[in-house]
Every structure is written in C-alpha cells, then in structure tokens.
Amino acid sequence: MIFQLVQQLVQQALATQLIEREDEIYARNQVLALLQLEEYKEVEIGESIQEISDLLDRIVEYAVEQGIIEDIFDVKDIFSSKIMNCFIARPSSVNQQFYEKYQQSPEQATNYFYQLSKNSNYIQMKRIRQNIEYKAATEYGELDITINLSKPEKDPKSIELEKHAKKSNYPKCLLCIENEGYAGRIGHPARSNHRMIRVNLTDENWHLQYSPYVYYNEHCIVLSEKHTDMKISPLTFERLLAFVEQFPHYFLGSNADIPIVGGSILSHEHYQGGNYQFAMAKAGADWSFTIDGFPNVECSVVKWPMSVIRLRSSETGNLVEAGAHIFERWKAYSHEALGILARTSETPHNTVTPIARKNGDLFELDLVLRNNRTSDEHPLGIFHPHADVHHIKKENIGLIEVMGLAVLPARLKGELEEVENFLLGKTDAVAEYHADWANELKNNYGTIANESNVETLVREEVGKKFLRVLEDAGVFKRNEEGEAGFRRFIGTL
C-alpha cells in the first residue's frame, strides 16, 4: 500500500507540473528515504488517484504507524512539508520561471506561483475548504463573511511540548525570509515547501509569498527582507503603488502601525494584497473635494462605514505626495468632541490603513483614518468593536476587515447552530454571551417554523453585526455630527 501511495503522489506531482518526467525517479527516491524504505516495488496505482493533500495524510499516517515520526501535530506537519519539498524546485529556479512568465504578463507569473503554492500544499486548500464563507448584503455592498475553521486545533501533547520547547530566535518571526525552506520545530510551523519571489520596491529587496491560509483569491503577503518594525510613512505609499505598477491586477495594502487598530505582526514590515475586489474597492464616492497644490489628484470621501479618503491619479508620484500631506495632517489632528485625540503625552493615537490599486487607467490610494484611543467605557478601544458586538467579533480590525471581509472565530460554527435551534424552538440553551441577541431575534421574528431559511436569517444578522463592527471602528460616524467633523478635517488640508 505505501508503494501505491508514493507512486500516486509522484503521478500527481507530474500531473500538476511540480516535476518533469525526468525528475520522477529522483523525487520518488527522496520520498522513499524519508520513509526509511530501501527498495521500491512496482505497483498498479489504479485509475482513481487521490488529491495530493489526501495522499500526504495517508503517507504521514504510515510514518506514524511505523514509528518513523511521533503522533504529534507539529511533527506530522514538519514531515508532510519535507515530503512535498522533494517535488519543488529551489528558490532560484522558481524565481527564474516566475520572471520568464512575467515577460508574457504579470497575471501568468502570479498564476504560476499561486498554483505552485497550492499544489505543493504550502497553501492548505484542504483545510481552507472547511471554512464557512458567504456574502451579506448591506447598503454599502456585499460584505464577505468567513468563519475560520482552517487552522486545526492542536492536540494536548503538542500544546504541552510547545510550553517546554527550547526558545529560539531563528527565524526571528513567522514573516522573516529565513522561513524559506525551514523545516520547522515544535511551536514554529513547517516551511520546507515554502518559496518566495524576489521583488524590487523603491530599490529595496522585498519578497512575495502567499498566505498559507488564504482568506480570498490569491491572498498574498509582501514582506521586507529586513526584520524591522511596521511603520506607516510616505515611503509606504510609494512601495504600495510601486507594487501595483508591477502587478496591476493585484491590490496591496498595509495594516496600521500601532496597536489596537490592526490585526497584524507589528515586528516585521509587511503588506497584504491579492487578486480580489472587496466591497470597499467597489464603493463609490460619498462626496468629493480638492486639495490646494494637488490639481492632478481626484479626492473623495468613500461611501463606507469607516472613514476613508480616496485619491486617484494617473501619476503615482502625485498620489504619494498627496497621501503624505493628508497623513501628516491626520497624525496631528484632534477633535475632542468626537473622541479623537492625536496623542496622550508621548503616545501617538492617529495613523492610517493605506490600500493601493490600479483601476482602469488610474491609480488609487485609499487612506482609512484610524485612532487607537481607549476609555473607561471602551477599554479595548473607542474606535474598536464595542462590547455589544463582542459575542460575534472582539478581535482587532485589521486591513482585511477594513476592506469588508469579516474573519470570525471558529467557535461561531457551533454557537450559531445553537441560535438557529433556539429560533426553531428546538432548544432554550445558547451561549450566555449570545442570549440577548438570540432573544432579540426571537422577539423580531418569533419562533421560526421553516428550517430551510433559518440559516439564511442568522447569517444575515451576523452580517449586520459585522457592519456594526465597521461602524464602531470609523472615526467619523456616518451621521450629521460625524460628517461635519469629517468636513472640518478635510478643511485643514
């Protein structure tokens, strides 16, 4: 059986163009060595060949049964990653192929690399398919909702081993370039099958990779070669626009650079992008304005629950300068009546979440205004999801949420089913923190007799909660007072 599984894996590697026919024997021998097999028996593999991820799972099971590896989550992931590394070219070859395809078109290059990252099982498509994904209609367009089930829970033995694992500073973090080809260890993910594309941004070395747990199509990460702290500056805008100039079918954005207002690793400068159009990108202008000194830049406030300024121009340099002007004014701006203070003593509060894209012949730079102040009433953040939505979303609102995609915790899968059964009259028990919401839904809709539409109803209500999350995070609320405050800030430009 093991020889059958190995040969099926080799066949799938050939079918997905991970290897060429000349590589077949070499790759198979590499896998046999990992499995401590000194010979190979020719076998019939049959017509129904399983997917690479399923074959890997079965080969890893064999390795556990034979005592080759321990039955520990991290150890099994490391072994699986090493197996796939037998089928992937070295980084220099991957980069060479990428840029050969780039000469044809940027789309061909990224499509090649995305398929490679999926076929090599670096992007964990089998796990990702477990996520619950749907769209929720709102006045701002369709918001994307994802209940994240793709990251499996570790077994108790793995958690215990992680507690006692020897501390190491190599790689310094999960984003460092030293992760490329790194075997992994207890507490640090396996990266033997990891490859990165070298990208030049503003005469600096950056690296393009895909997220192992993609939340949308071609969800990529562009990271600095240097392990340096996240920092928003005019150079950030320049880099984002330089990237979309090279890859005009992708957007690229950055999380905010201060705590609370971004769900990110602040210790390593990096951006996120991809080939996907979020609801925020589709949103039109609420009202337009001009800024003295920037006649070639179209400026508008976007019709979006958060506070977004959109700049458009055919010249990226104009956008960088206009963006820098707005950013400097925002960092120093206070409006106490609206809870906006630029700093408390030496602690800064204002920053932006910037996003760049190409739209037709024009470049766009969106600046989402952020503030990370806290108060006694809102200890997790004044412009953060408020307590009444924490039962759905309590985590920080980062770049992905800002654009209109809710990444919700796995606990909601079972909890929302409980709420559905509560509305159907099948149970009186829901999680305590959902009780007020569940009772409110029952008061609004009564006991629902039709099982076929209860899931749709609850999903729509979750969408409304996520919209509330975005409204909470907006610094200028979408009411008369908020609009007046926004216009007052625009007046300072």
Side-chain angles (χ1 to χ4, degrees), residues 231-449:
K231 181 173 171 55
I232 301 294
S233 71
L235 185 56
T236 308
F237 311 150
E238 202 176 332
R239 290 181 189 131
L240 297 180
L241 289 159
F243 181 85
V244 297
E245 246 184 321
Q246 293 177 57
F247 301 95
H249 58 302
Y250 274 20
F251 77 88
L252 194 68
S254 174
N255 268 301
D257 55 347
I258 55 178
I260 294 179
V261 291
S264 189
I265 298 173
L266 294 179
S267 62
H268 195 121
E269 186 119 59
H270 71 285
Y271 312 129
Q272 293 183 78
N275 188 5
Y276 189 72
Q277 194 172 40
F278 289 92
M280 193 184 93
K282 298 176 189 175
D286 209 6
W287 44 279
S288 300
F289 61 94
T290 57
I291 306 175
D292 293 345
F294 299 99
N296 298 321
V297 179
E298 299 173 21
C299 311
S300 63
V301 167
V302 180
K303 186 184 177 186
W304 190 244
M306 294 185 69
S307 307
V308 186
I309 294 171
R310 178 165 294 160
L311 307 175
R312 306 178 81 221
S313 177
S314 59
E315 296 291 332
T316 59
N318 293 333
L319 294 184
V320 172
E321 290 177 16
H325 173 66
I326 293 169
F327 179 51
E328 289 306 314
R329 291 296 171 95
W330 174 244
K331 280 199 297 183
Y333 187 76
S334 295
H335 190 155
E336 198 164 347
L338 298 181
I340 300 167
L341 294 180
R343 58 179 55 247
T344 304
S345 187
E346 295 303 307
T347 304
H349 295 306
N350 288 351
T351 189
V352 296
T353 299
I355 301 124
R357 70 183 74 83
K358 185 96 184 282
N359 191 344
D361 294 330
L362 296 179
F363 291 95
E364 293 181 348
L365 180 65
D366 287 354
L367 301 177
V368 187
L369 307 182
R370 313 298 305 273
N371 177 286
N372 78 342
R373 280 190 66 225
T374 60
S375 66
D376 291 340
E377 185 185 358
H378 302 294
L380 297 183
I382 297 168
F383 304 104
H384 176 93
H386 291 173
D388 61 327
V389 296
H390 283 178
H391 65 108
I392 298 294
K393 177 72 172 174
K394 188 177 183 179
E395 299 77 18
N396 294 354
I397 303 307
L399 172 68
I400 293 173
E401 286 89 0
V402 161
M403 296 184 292
L405 191 159
V407 181
L408 302 179
R411 63 176 171 83
L412 285 177
K413 180 180 186 290
E415 292 173 5
L416 294 181
E417 288 170 1
E418 281 182 355
V419 171
E420 290 168 20
N421 286 329
F422 179 78
L423 294 177
L424 290 166
K426 290 182 174 181
T427 181
D428 292 327
V430 296
E432 188 179 342
Y433 42 80
H434 289 309
D436 289 346
W437 179 55
N439 284 313
E440 182 187 327
L441 295 181
K442 185 164 270 192
N443 289 337
N444 290 344
Y445 297 105
T447 300
I448 297 170

Side-chain angles (χ1 to χ4, degrees), residues 9-123:
L9 185 60
V10 170
Q11 289 300 115
Q12 283 294 67
L14 283 164
T16 54
Q17 298 180 317
L18 283 172
I19 59 172
E20 303 293 333
R21 182 63 65 184
E22 295 88 341
D23 304 319
E24 180 179 357
I25 294 170
Y26 169 84
R28 186 175 65 208
N29 282 336
Q30 296 299 301
V31 176
L32 293 176
L34 286 172
L35 293 168
Q36 299 177 11
L37 294 167
E38 295 177 357
E39 61 177 353
Y40 174 71
K41 293 176 183 173
E42 292 291 342
V43 286
E44 290 290 327
I45 60 170
E47 290 183 10
S48 60
I49 297 179
Q50 300 172 63
E51 287 190 12
I52 285 174
S53 54
D54 293 324
L55 290 166
L56 276 176
D57 286 346
R58 294 185 66 188
I59 291 170
V60 169
E61 277 174 31
Y62 167 87
V64 170
E65 288 165 6
Q66 298 298 311
I68 298 166
I69 60 170
E70 291 183 85
D71 189 7
I72 296 170
F73 178 86
D74 284 352
V75 174
K76 291 190 288 187
D77 257 18
I78 287 167
F79 192 74
S80 175
S81 178
K82 283 180 178 176
I83 291 171
M84 287 315 300
N85 190 45
C86 299
F87 299 98
I88 314 173
R90 290 186 177 184
S92 56
S93 298
V94 171
N95 275 264
Q96 184 180 344
Q97 287 195 61
F98 181 90
Y99 280 108
E100 282 174 2
K101 293 178 187 299
Y102 185 89
Q103 297 308 312
Q104 304 304 311
S105 76
E107 289 93 335
Q108 279 194 39
T110 54
N111 185 56
Y112 153 73
F113 188 46
Y114 191 52
Q115 294 305 319
L116 173 74
S117 300
K118 289 195 290 186
N119 292 334
S120 66
N121 207 47
Y122 176 73
I123 297 177

Side-chain angles (χ1 to χ4, degrees), residues 91 122 168-185 188-198 205-210 212 221-230 264-271:
Y122 176 73
S168 171
N169 288 323
Y170 184 87
K172 290 189 181 75
C173 77
L174 295 175
L175 293 174
C176 283
I177 57 170
E178 287 80 12
N179 284 282
E180 188 175 45
Y182 183 64
R185 60 179 186 268
H188 190 104
R191 292 290 182 259
S192 293
N193 56 342
H194 181 29
R195 301 292 184 268
M196 300 185 194
I197 300 299
R198 278 59 182 165
N205 295 328
W206 287 69
H207 294 70
L208 166 69
Q209 65 171 70
Y210 290 104
I221 298 169
V222 179
L223 54 97
S224 172
E225 188 169 78
K226 300 171 186 170
H227 181 77
T228 54
D229 290 347
M230 289 276 288
S264 189
I265 298 173
L266 294 179
S267 62
H268 195 121
E269 186 119 59
H270 71 285
Y271 312 129

Side-chain angles (χ1 to χ4, degrees), residues 109-228:
T110 54
N111 185 56
Y112 153 73
F113 188 46
Y114 191 52
Q115 294 305 319
L116 173 74
S117 300
K118 289 195 290 186
N119 292 334
S120 66
N121 207 47
Y122 176 73
I123 297 177
Q124 305 262 351
M125 290 307 298
K126 183 178 179 181
R127 292 176 185 172
I128 290 161
R129 282 193 285 268
Q130 297 172 34
N131 290 343
I132 295 170
E133 298 176 350
Y134 66 94
K135 292 183 181 292
T138 73
E139 62 182 293
Y140 302 100
E142 288 190 320
L143 301 179
D144 291 292
I145 310 293
T146 295
I147 296 177
N148 181 20
L149 304 171
S150 58
K151 291 185 181 178
E153 291 187 20
K154 295 192 177 185
D155 52 76
K157 191 188 281 187
S158 292
I159 294 166
E160 192 60 29
L161 283 170
E162 204 167 315
K163 283 181 191 171
H164 298 101
K166 183 184 173 185
K167 299 293 180 237
S168 171
N169 288 323
Y170 184 87
K172 290 189 181 75
C173 77
L174 295 175
L175 293 174
C176 283
I177 57 170
E178 287 80 12
N179 284 282
E180 188 175 45
Y182 183 64
R185 60 179 186 268
I186 297 294
H188 190 104
R191 292 290 182 259
S192 293
N193 56 342
H194 181 29
R195 301 292 184 268
M196 300 185 194
I197 300 299
R198 278 59 182 165
V199 179
N200 184 288
L201 298 180
T202 62
D203 292 325
E204 298 172 329
N205 295 328
W206 287 69
H207 294 70
L208 166 69
Q209 65 171 70
Y210 290 104
S211 168
Y213 295 101
V214 292
Y215 290 129
Y216 50 85
N217 187 49
E218 296 175 51
H219 176 184
C220 70
I221 298 169
V222 179
L223 54 97
S224 172
E225 188 169 78
K226 300 171 186 170
H227 181 77
T228 54

